[in-house]
Amino acid sequence: MNHSIFNILVLLLGFSVCAVAGNHPSAKAVPVHPSDSDLTDVPVQKTNDPWQRLNRTTFRFNDELTTYALRPVAHGYAAIVPLRVRTGVTNFFDNLNYPVRFINSVLQGKITRSAQETGKFVINITAGVGGLIRVSDHISRLADVPAEDFGQTLGFWGICPGPYIVIPILGPSDCRDLVGFGGDYAMNPLNWHALGIIQHAFIPNAVSIALSGTKFVNGLPKSVESYDQLKAEAVDPYIAMRDAYLSYRAAQVKK
Amino acid sequence: MLLQRFILRSALVLLFLRAGQLSGAASSDDAATTLRSSVEEVLSIAYSGHANEALAARVRPALEKCFAFDIVTRQAMGPGWRQFSATEQKRVTDLFSELMIRTYSARVVGTQRPKIVFGSPVATASDRCEIPTRVTTSSSNEPIAVVYRMIKLPAGWRIYDVLIEGVSFVANYRAQFDELIQKGGAVAAIRTLEAKLAQPVPSNS
């Protein structure tokens, strides 16, 4: 769940079904009021959600899972581990994700961005004590580099998002991002041992699993807080989440 | 003679165009000034040391000065708005404004005052502009991109939409209300908003 603003969001391809979006009632930007016709530039998310009934069921399952399992873990973890430590752990795993951002910047031909990512990685791993501190944030050219991933690369190459899909445990996604998630999984060094890309007698698979588990639990407090906030504000949390996810990913692809 | 006339006409056209650009730029600058002072006022209230429980009530006057709540509500309700009676429109505007104020104040408050960097306004029409900002909070690892969409009304510049990391507040609510209003009309919208406002606000840590 590297991509999203809600952190719990994760990312099948349905290249040919993009046209379906245009048939959905909410896909059309309709003037709100005769006198407001000049204000219709507010983008309306075109929604490709042919599996809505199944998605809503999965959404409810994930909601119950959050309520009865993830939220207690998140609160317990946040009570034990101070924010500063959690931020350090987040920074460490974020820095470790450098190959994903670097390779995807290159795949999109964004050479300057790939160089900035390399600069960030080197500075944070050295001056930032193994990546625990984001020293790069204090260097203007490295402070605000949009993070690239394989879902965005596919979007950059002109591949449509395909139908919206809610995945059990992982959360909202679309078909393109689901494939992107697979690509990012393979590019992340955290998974290289499990995938057999690197072999070392002293590193059992358990270490890889433990690191992934730490990363997941460390991100939970923020994810749960963001989810609770969305639920509190939304009149239909399913649609609010779907619109937010799709708009957010569309904006990321454009960056 | 013809050449002189052509040069004179071209110069006049250029002059008008330039004047238009300058007036547009000055106008957008007014929007930026309005936004900056409004955000500053809201933050001053939010971080004045008072308890956060009554924050929504305390920031309401400041938000009423800078948000075009009626326009935001109309757009968020979508095409169904036209079928509402005047009384229903008033009721929905009041309830939705309340929800917006509650949402905004819940998001703006945290443990530390956020650092906001204002970008240059971008004119999208003669009476509208977008102002990009970068918000850094104590709980966010990276700055959050927040874009304010503003419209020039007789009373001055007002916010009519806010985009957080590309997610439009108005478009998000319009997507949510679209199906609801198609099925149940204004009654469903009012009932849903009342139920939502009756729920407690989660604390922002």
Side-chain angles (χ1 to χ4, degrees), chain A residues 26 31-32 36 38-39 41 43-44 87 90-91 134 144 222 225 231-236 240 243 255, chain B residues 71 74-75 82 103 107 128 134 139 141-142 149 161 165 167 171-174 176 178 196 202 204-205:
Chain A
S26 65
V32 173
D36 292 336
D38 61 333
L39 289 176
D41 59 341
V44 175
T87 304
T90 302
N91 291 342
R134 286 168 59 110
D144 202 6
K222 184 115 186 78
E225 184 193 317
K231 261 186 80 174
E233 294 164 2
V235 293
D236 184 335
D243 178 84
K255 274 186 187 172
Chain B
I71 295 175
R74 281 205 299 263
Q75 294 195 106
R82 277 173 259 155
T103 300
R107 283 189 183 249
R128 273 170 288 155
R134 309 290 291 173
S139 60
N141 257 22
E142 291 177 14
R149 285 184 167 150
D161 195 9
E165 289 289 347
V167 182
N172 192 280
Y173 274 104
R174 187 192 289 199
Q176 295 179 61
D178 186 55
K196 180 52 62 183
N204 193 0
S205 56

Side-chain angles (χ1 to χ4, degrees), chain A residues 184-207:
Chain A
D184 293 339
Y185 185 86
M187 290 179 220
N188 190 333
L190 206 60
N191 309 314
W192 289 353
H193 192 266
L195 291 170
I197 297 169
I198 55 167
Q199 295 291 340
H200 198 289
F202 298 107
I203 307 176
N205 278 340
V207 170

